Amino acid sequence: KVAPRHDCELSDWWVAQPCSRACGGGEVVQRRAIRAQAAGGGTPCPGTEALFRTLQCNMKACPLARVDIARTEPKLVRAGLAFVIHVEGDNLNPSEDRILLVPASVQCGSTNTHAGGAACSQPGSDASHLICGDGRQSMWVQKAGSYRICFCDASSALIRNHEGSGSISSGSFDAVGVAGSGCAGPQAYVQAPMTSGFLEVAEPAALDHTDGSATQDGLSTMSVVGIVAACIVVGCSVCAACIFLWWKTRHGNDPILIEEGISKFELAGNNSEHKEPYMVDPPASVTHD
């Protein structure tokens, strides 16, 4: 008996992974399931790959980031030492936004020359406060001088103006009609803090600084003082141990000297009538007749 023809039955699409971005163009993953297999020569079911699809989502432009102020930690930044830059504003994106340092004489986004930068995804960052650099190695400047702090709003985009002579920042890099992508190059770092947008980097600290700042070889003054103090303590301990061993070698095996309740050391100081000390013999055993 021939089975009746029955095509493969598939379910409707449902969201397997939500949109990857809240705005500015993201991706959503959908999938569907097989309800019934084909029979009687009907249309077969598709393979596993055909059960998934990826679509664009949330294509509306993201609000532009507002960068109000930037400050460094520590306040005094020295060449060759790591530091952190705090950025405060609104509509910030810790997972994608970045900062870049350029010479103070040029405008942000107008040069390829820079002194390095850092991501702003450190713990504690949010939409109004970014912590850029880890304070250990991701943010430091090799040479002392003046620098401009430039900011990349990774979720915004550069759109050609109506005259075609330049670009304006608005919307998402993934949206239609825009140029560039994320923070791929120095030209994307077009924003600067409205307050404290410049950074003065001082020369490396001298070895004899007493303000607790780091020295040229990476050690702070307090660290050097601690090392010297530790060496003094260890030296004193070694000297004390040597004196003790010397005294032990000289006097440790002397028998107890007694003469009428006066110790050996007291006898040594008696210059009038010096008697030779004698050993106290143990009492003789008593025998009974």
Side-chain angles (χ1 to χ4, degrees), residues 72-289:
T72 62
E73 182 184 352
K75 291 183 179 180
L76 178 60
V77 176
R78 294 189 180 277
L81 298 178
F83 59 94
V84 172
I85 294 182
H86 295 264
V87 176
E88 297 180 8
D90 196 17
N91 297 323
L92 306 177
N93 186 349
S95 63
E96 298 184 27
D97 293 345
R98 297 179 62 90
I99 59 171
L100 190 72
L101 299 180
V102 301
S105 58
V106 300
Q107 296 296 322
C108 293
S110 64
T111 179
N112 288 324
T113 303
H114 62 85
C120 301
S121 56
Q122 296 300 316
S125 297
D126 53 37
S128 61
H129 175 211
L130 298 180
I131 304 175
C132 308
D134 59 9
R136 296 186 300 272
Q137 59 182 10
S138 65
M139 190 72 182
W140 63 280
V141 178
Q142 185 176 4
K143 295 182 179 180
S146 299
Y147 298 90
R148 188 188 298 269
I149 301 174
C150 299
F151 178 80
C152 173
D153 183 5
S155 57
S156 70
L158 298 178
I159 303 177
R160 287 291 178 183
N161 58 23
H162 67 285
E163 298 176 350
S165 59
S167 299
I168 59 175
S169 180
S170 175
S172 165
F173 277 124
D174 298 327
V176 177
V178 301
S181 63
C183 301
Q187 290 77 16
Y189 294 77
V190 296
Q191 290 181 265
M194 292 183 287
T195 304
S196 302
F198 292 91
L199 172 64
E200 294 294 332
V201 179
E203 294 288 348
L207 187 61
D208 59 350
H209 267 234
T210 57
D211 58 355
S213 59
T215 58
Q216 286 181 328
D217 60 358
L219 293 176
S220 68
T221 303
M222 295 303 295
S223 299
V224 174
V225 172
I227 294 173
V228 173
C231 292
I232 293 174
V233 171
V234 172
C236 292
S237 301
V238 172
C239 291
C242 292
I243 293 173
F244 175 76
L245 292 175
W246 172 83
W247 186 90
K248 183 71 174 175
T249 303
R250 184 166 182 142
H251 302 288
N253 297 323
D254 285 356
I256 300 176
L257 304 176
I258 301 176
E259 183 178 9
E260 298 179 358
I262 303 176
S263 69
K264 175 182 179 180
F265 300 104
E266 292 173 327
L267 287 171
N270 186 359
N271 298 323
S272 58
E273 293 182 1
H274 178 69
K275 298 181 180 180
E276 288 292 8
Y278 60 88
M279 295 294 299
V280 177
D281 295 326
S285 58
V286 180
T287 57
H288 299 277
D289 294 331

